Amino acid sequence: MDHLTDHLTALLLAAQRGDQEALERFVVETQHDVLALCRYLGDADTADDLAQETYERAFAALHRFRATGPARHWLLTIARRTCVDSTRRRVRRRRLHRRIESEPTDVATQPSTAIELDDALRALDPDRRAAFVLTQINGLRYEEAAELLDVPIGTIRSRVARAREQLAEALSPTSQELRRVVGRPHER
């Protein structure tokens, strides 16, 4: 069947035009495939969360769907990327935890370090904070963050660089590990 006459593609195009019922049917008719993919590319414990994130990303990008291929492929590509991003975030967190645990630290300063980072992040301009969190904490590529925030990729790069500088200045000398992590660019 040609993707322009494919039932799911027709539903998605109708949803794009504002048909809420078509959007609901699209979700109902694709949720099994999305859950299965998330279960096997992610893990069984987080499959529901990954599927929900997939649909959130798809809804946010619905206006960019151009029907150059089947809607099912478009959605499953989003699901795959969601799973890959989740795996990257998990790996990155494990590495950071291992690095922090391997360095001798004063136990009394550990809770304040996390609070200090949270406070420093909250103090950032909302645009800088969004760009920094999406790319450096959530692991999105700069182009994905640019697409998500609907700004040019150069804007994301400058926001992340300025956020990194501001965070490095805000962190106390006792936060050396966080300062090293914050100061290290992470672009994919």
Side-chain angles (χ1 to χ4, degrees):
M1 176 181 277
D2 183 316
H3 69 273
L4 293 175
T5 59
D6 171 20
H7 172 68
L8 292 175
T9 301
L11 285 174
L12 196 58
L13 289 170
Q16 194 177 51
R17 292 187 301 272
D19 184 339
Q20 189 62 33
E21 190 175 312
L23 183 61
E24 291 171 10
R25 288 198 51 206
F26 179 78
V27 171
V28 167
E29 293 184 29
T30 58
Q31 66 185 352
H32 175 77
D33 290 341
V34 170
L35 271 169
L37 187 66
C38 291
R39 190 172 299 117
Y40 295 112
L41 290 184
D43 63 61
D45 295 335
T46 61
D48 289 335
D49 293 335
L50 292 171
Q52 181 175 345
E53 184 178 344
T54 296
Y55 284 108
E56 288 170 1
R57 288 182 180 193
F59 297 162
L62 183 59
H63 67 281
R64 289 190 300 271
F65 178 69
R66 298 290 173 245
T68 57
R72 182 174 184 270
H73 294 175
W74 177 79
L75 182 64
L76 292 179
T77 298
I78 294 172
R80 182 184 60 79
R81 288 180 182 154
T82 301
C83 293
V84 168
D85 290 345
S86 172
T87 300
R88 286 181 183 143
R89 285 190 303 264
R90 219 174 30 251
V91 167
R92 194 173 307 114
R93 273 185 286 228
R94 278 191 224 135
R95 285 181 190 150
L96 177 60
H97 287 297
R98 277 192 298 248
R99 238 185 352 222
I100 290 172
E101 288 172 359
S102 70
E103 291 193 12
T105 57
D106 178 1
V107 175
T109 65
Q110 282 182 337
S112 66
T113 301
I115 292 169
E116 184 180 354
L117 179 60
D118 284 348
D119 290 343
L121 282 170
R122 276 192 217 97
L124 291 173
D125 169 82
D127 292 334
R128 289 180 186 174
R129 182 174 52 240
F132 185 84
V133 169
L134 286 172
T135 60
Q136 308 304 298
I137 295 175
N138 289 348
L140 268 67
R141 293 189 324 265
Y142 279 34
E143 68 181 33
E144 291 172 320
E147 197 172 296
L148 186 68
L149 297 175
D150 198 28
V151 297
I153 193 168
T155 301
I156 293 297
R157 285 189 179 105
S158 67
R159 286 179 183 173
V160 170
R162 287 186 181 110
R164 191 178 294 117
E165 290 169 4
Q166 191 176 342
L167 288 169
E169 289 173 12
L171 295 175
S172 72
T174 60
S175 304
Q176 291 303 313
E177 178 57 26
L178 287 173
R179 188 178 297 242
R180 280 194 298 271
V181 172
V182 168
R184 190 176 313 136
H186 172 27
E187 180 177 352
R188 291 180 286 135

